[in-house]
Amino acid sequence: MALAGLGLLLFLLPLAGLVVRAPWGQVGQELLAPQTATALGLSIFCSVTATAIALVLGIPLALVLSRTTGTLRSVLRALTTLPMVLPPVVGGVALLLAFGRRGLIGAPLYQLFGVQIPFTTTAAVIAETFVAMPFLVIAIEGGLRSLDQRYEEAARALGANSWKVFARVTLPLLRPAIFSGAVLCWARALGEFGATITFAGNLPGRTQTVPLAVYIALESKPEAAIVLSLVLLAVSLAILIGLRDRWLGEP
Amino acid sequence: MTVFAAASLQPAFDKIAAQIHVDATFNYAGTQTLTAQLTQGAEADVFASADKTQMKTLLDAGLIAGAPEVFAHNRLEIAVAKGNPKGIHSLADLARPGLVVVLADPSVPAGKYAQQALAKANVTVHPASLEPQVTGVLSKVALGEADAGIVYVSDVVTSQKVQGVPIPDSQNVVADYPIAALKNAQHNSNAAAFIAFVLAPDGQSILKAAGFEPA
């Protein structure tokens, strides 16, 4: 019990610190400050776009993962979950080496078309997708594996083609898993810092999302940093409470 | 002993640490980060800052023991890729359209100095990124992602991957690096010995080799 309490304290104390030190009288003013509003807007745009891309790419990936077995599955699964355990800064460096001006894909893109990805909003979206998509894939794969396949079989027996089975039977059954996966993915994208600052840099209005703004402001305007941190905290808490055990607890 | 030192000092201080045989731990970061950590109660014995303003913040907070001493100076330089493929010869060239220029964020000394230098040269630059540490500027140029960045002369001297384009004195900014022991230091004698070494000829020649100008 004592250890459990200590564990809980470790989580609660930093949060309490934020709440106690928050300049409550200035919250409205700090939130409306142009730099804060810009960072918030950019953060919402980037995290929503990253989640949309993760849905488009992640659902098929989860389908493939759930239908493979053995070594192939272990390898695919390890590759998919790698960004979850990789330090995000390392992820950022890896993204530079792939999409940077001298990167694997970035170099031909730059030489042939003059396209430069680093330091753009696109880079911020790519960084967030890279780091956050695994959360979506894992949630949906879990949903697929616990799916009762008899519904799909029945639909097939009734003459539905594979696309129709997927769209009319599988997807609706998967709705809770897709929803919780998308929300977790979005929350992770919203909080992304390391890969973004390494790969996309830090420029207000273009790549400076809320976590980056917090980091920069901490050194010059601590009040603004605390207010922005509170916003992120409130959003994350609301998401976790909203999801509750029934979705997070699913295998 | 714990030394909090500006990120730009790392190459020089690592060499000094190897010579003085004192068990020292170094925390290198943007001076602004270090100041924030110290004012929030981080324990350290020595603070070496990349500008006087940050040192004054700690002095005013009553955290510094004795009077800080300036132990080195640094100047700014434009960092470009080896061979200077984009033909950058002055601050004015940084305003050229299509050039990817990276600066340090104005909240850190290197970024503040860069802004002062650009103002003196009457040049407006649209940076691709404002890095939270001067080392971030250097690495973006070294990786080839940025065409140019404004860094310290010492950064160019110790980096193998970039080339420096000098900025004339009339446009340049001289950064003063003050050092001091902290009031809550746990290892007073080691702190004093470290500061003395940095100020002595041996320490000064290491700093000079790392691209700093002696005090």
Side-chain angles (χ1 to χ4, degrees):
Chain A
M1 268 311 282
L3 286 178
L6 212 60
L8 198 61
L9 265 186
L10 181 63
F11 293 140
L12 285 180
L13 278 179
L15 302 185
L18 265 183
V19 173
V20 170
R21 290 285 300 274
W24 290 106
Q26 309 170 37
V27 167
Q29 189 191 330
E30 290 291 351
L31 276 181
L32 291 175
Q35 271 226 335
T36 312
T38 306
L40 269 174
L42 186 71
S43 255
I44 291 168
F45 172 79
C46 289
S47 56
V48 168
T49 312
T51 308
I53 296 172
L55 278 168
V56 171
L57 303 177
I59 294 178
L61 190 54
L63 271 172
V64 169
L65 267 179
S66 73
R67 308 256 149 112
T68 50
T69 48
T71 321
L72 181 63
R73 181 188 172 224
S74 310
V75 171
L76 283 178
R77 210 154 197 280
L79 286 177
T80 313
T81 45
L82 198 59
M84 289 171 95
V85 290
L86 210 61
V89 174
V90 176
V93 172
L95 286 169
L96 270 181
L97 299 181
F99 299 108
R101 288 203 306 198
R102 293 185 192 166
L104 287 178
I105 298 179
L109 270 180
Y110 177 56
Q111 280 151 16
L112 295 178
F113 308 105
V115 175
Q116 300 180 49
I117 298 174
F119 310 124
T120 61
T121 305
T122 308
V125 171
I126 292 175
E128 290 186 5
T129 312
F130 176 81
V131 170
M133 191 159 78
F135 290 84
L136 180 123
V137 175
I138 294 302
I140 296 178
E141 197 215 341
L144 277 165
R145 285 195 183 271
S146 60
L147 208 65
D148 191 338
Q149 299 204 337
R150 280 175 301 180
Y151 294 106
E152 290 171 319
E153 281 158 18
R156 234 169 271 130
L158 291 169
N161 60 27
S162 347
W163 170 248
K164 206 165 181 186
V165 173
F166 176 71
R168 304 290 283 274
V169 181
T170 317
L171 266 189
L173 284 171
L174 269 183
R175 201 178 297 155
I178 293 176
F179 182 75
S180 62
V183 170
L184 280 176
C185 168
W186 177 69
R188 179 64 188 89
L190 193 67
E192 215 310 296
F193 174 80
T196 310
I197 198 147
T198 312
F199 177 50
N202 169 58
L203 193 72
R206 202 189 299 167
T207 56
Q208 190 187 72
T209 54
V210 172
L212 274 62
V214 169
Y215 185 76
I216 295 288
L218 192 58
E219 295 163 358
S220 47
K221 293 182 297 173
E223 297 80 21
I226 295 173
V227 169
L228 279 171
S229 306
L230 276 177
V231 172
L232 283 185
L233 179 68
V235 169
S236 315
L237 208 61
I239 287 167
L240 292 177
I241 291 174
L243 282 176
R244 282 186 298 248
D245 301 336
R246 63 186 162 128
W247 286 329
L248 289 179
E250 252 179 15
Chain B
M1 176 179 66
T2 308
V3 178
F4 275 37
S8 45
L9 288 167
Q10 181 159 8
F13 273 22
D14 280 350
K15 281 211 184 86
I16 289 176
Q19 289 215 0
I20 56 169
H21 308 296
V22 170
D23 190 17
T25 309
F26 289 86
N27 176 20
Y28 297 111
T31 297
Q32 218 78 9
T33 306
L34 299 173
T35 310
Q37 287 170 347
L38 290 168
T39 50
Q40 293 295 324
E43 291 219 341
D45 301 288
V46 175
F47 175 52
S49 166
D51 82 344
K52 283 180 164 170
T53 324
Q54 299 302 315
M55 185 58 92
K56 189 171 180 301
T57 306
L58 292 184
L59 264 175
D60 292 346
L63 294 169
I64 299 295
E69 281 197 71
V70 172
F71 66 96
H73 304 284
N74 213 346
R75 274 168 207 275
L76 297 180
E77 209 164 51
I78 304 169
V80 297
K82 281 265 164 97
N84 198 355
K86 300 276 175 173
I88 295 158
H89 302 292
S90 68
L91 286 175
D93 286 342
L94 298 184
R96 241 163 36 200
L99 209 63
V100 180
V101 179
V102 171
L103 302 175
D105 191 84
S107 70
V108 296
K112 188 184 71 181
Y113 297 142
Q115 284 206 328
Q116 290 171 358
L118 288 167
K120 279 189 191 179
N122 207 8
V123 173
T124 308
V125 168
H126 298 286
S129 176
L130 298 167
E131 298 288 320
Q133 286 186 19
V134 68
T135 41
V137 178
L138 198 66
S139 67
K140 295 278 155 61
V141 176
L143 281 168
E145 296 306 335
D147 297 315
I150 300 181
V151 299
Y152 294 116
V153 171
S154 65
D155 294 321
V156 176
V157 167
T158 43
S159 164
Q160 313 292 320
K161 304 240 171 78
V162 303
Q163 178 178 328
V165 176
I167 300 171
D169 284 348
S170 60
Q171 298 172 349
N172 216 323
V173 180
V174 178
D176 298 320
Y177 283 61
I179 192 166
L182 288 148
K183 232 174 219 167
N184 66 357
Q186 303 285 313
H187 308 88
N188 289 314
S189 57
N190 281 351
F194 181 82
I195 294 172
F197 186 91
V198 166
L199 289 162
D202 282 354
Q204 292 288 305
S205 70
I206 292 176
L207 282 159
K208 193 158 180 251
F212 290 90
E213 292 165 30

